[in-house]
Amino acid sequence: MSPLFTWPSLSVKDRIKAVKMLVWLGALLPILRLIYLGVTNDLGANPVEFIERSTGTWALVFLLLSLSVTPLKSLTRLGWLIAVRRLLGLWMFAYASLHVTSYVWLDYQFDWSDMLKDIVKHPYVLVGALALLLTVPLAASSNQVAMHALKQRWKTLHQLVYVIAVLALLHFWWLVKKDLTEPIIYSGVFGLIMLLRLPVFSRK
């Protein structure tokens, strides 16, 4: 059965390369935007919070994008899309790391005592930190060497991505106090992605 749509005159290798270039471009733009806003002193009344929210949001966006690859592959029957999932996951880890770094460095300037007090007062910080910790083994094993070494255990390990998604969404819900529009939207997208992963929607 032919794919739902085709890429005229492009080999699979060229399609993968083109999509990866788009991912890189899309991933770098938010960083360049933050740099530009910082240089022009246009990060708002609370620059640190702006950076934290921006990097945290993009970490969640790339997490959901990486999760959407499998159902998208099933729906479009474009098997080569799997080749960009790892890159999306690594950008998720990069933005999550920037998110935590901005909290530890810019917000609390490595004052561990104050951070501990903040965690006790706001447990959502601990939930977010746990989500990041769980991404570390996934990022570290996102290579062919690890896949061959871990074999079947690699797939089991990477099932942690669903736990990470739930923790990230919980972190977001807990963080937002008034306008719940964004947490609702991201949770809805996650729910749709999980729904589309059901066997009834899979096509071989």
Side-chain angles (χ1 to χ4, degrees):
M1 188 177 293
S2 61
L4 295 179
F5 59 88
T6 58
W7 293 41
S9 69
L10 283 180
S11 66
V12 170
K13 186 176 180 180
D14 287 337
R15 296 173 198 176
I16 294 172
K17 187 181 296 185
V19 174
K20 284 187 175 181
M21 287 178 63
L22 289 175
V23 171
W24 272 94
L25 178 62
L28 288 173
L29 283 177
I31 297 176
L32 294 175
R33 175 174 174 264
L34 284 177
I35 294 174
Y36 172 77
L37 292 176
V39 171
T40 58
N41 197 28
D42 199 21
L43 288 170
N46 192 334
V48 173
E49 182 180 1
F50 187 93
I51 294 171
E52 287 179 352
R53 291 293 181 92
S54 178
T55 52
T57 298
W58 281 104
L60 184 55
V61 167
F62 279 104
L63 173 58
L64 294 175
L65 284 174
S66 67
L67 287 173
S68 70
V69 170
T70 297
L72 186 60
K73 175 187 74 75
S74 297
L75 291 172
T76 62
R77 282 160 280 166
L78 297 175
W80 56 266
L81 287 174
I82 290 294
V84 303
R85 183 172 58 186
R86 182 187 308 172
L87 181 59
L88 291 168
L90 289 173
W91 272 112
M92 178 273 291
F93 177 70
Y95 271 102
S97 299
L98 288 174
H99 179 61
V100 173
T101 300
S102 63
Y103 172 80
V104 173
W105 178 24
L106 300 179
D107 203 350
Y108 282 88
Q109 299 180 357
F110 301 99
D111 189 328
W112 306 106
S113 176
D114 278 356
M115 278 187 279
L116 181 59
K117 293 176 184 177
D118 187 50
I119 291 173
V120 172
K121 185 178 179 180
H122 303 113
Y124 62 78
V125 177
L126 184 60
V127 173
L130 178 58
L132 176 66
L133 286 175
L134 290 177
T135 65
V136 173
L138 303 193
S141 61
S142 291
N143 55 75
Q144 293 295 328
V145 174
M147 289 181 68
H148 288 301
L150 294 172
K151 298 180 180 178
Q152 290 298 112
R153 289 174 294 175
W154 185 90
K155 187 174 182 179
T156 302
L157 174 64
H158 281 253
Q159 296 296 313
L160 281 175
V161 69
Y162 304 111
V163 178
I164 293 168
V166 172
L167 290 173
L169 288 169
L170 178 59
H171 173 71
F172 200 4
W173 275 91
W174 215 338
L175 173 66
V176 176
K177 295 179 177 63
K178 294 181 180 179
D179 188 357
L180 296 175
T181 303
E182 286 189 88
I184 290 172
I185 291 173
Y186 288 117
S187 297
V189 171
F190 177 65
L192 178 61
I193 289 171
M194 297 307 294
L195 180 66
L196 291 175
R197 294 179 73 92
L198 294 176
V200 67
F201 295 103
S202 301
R203 299 187 183 190
K204 296 183 179 181

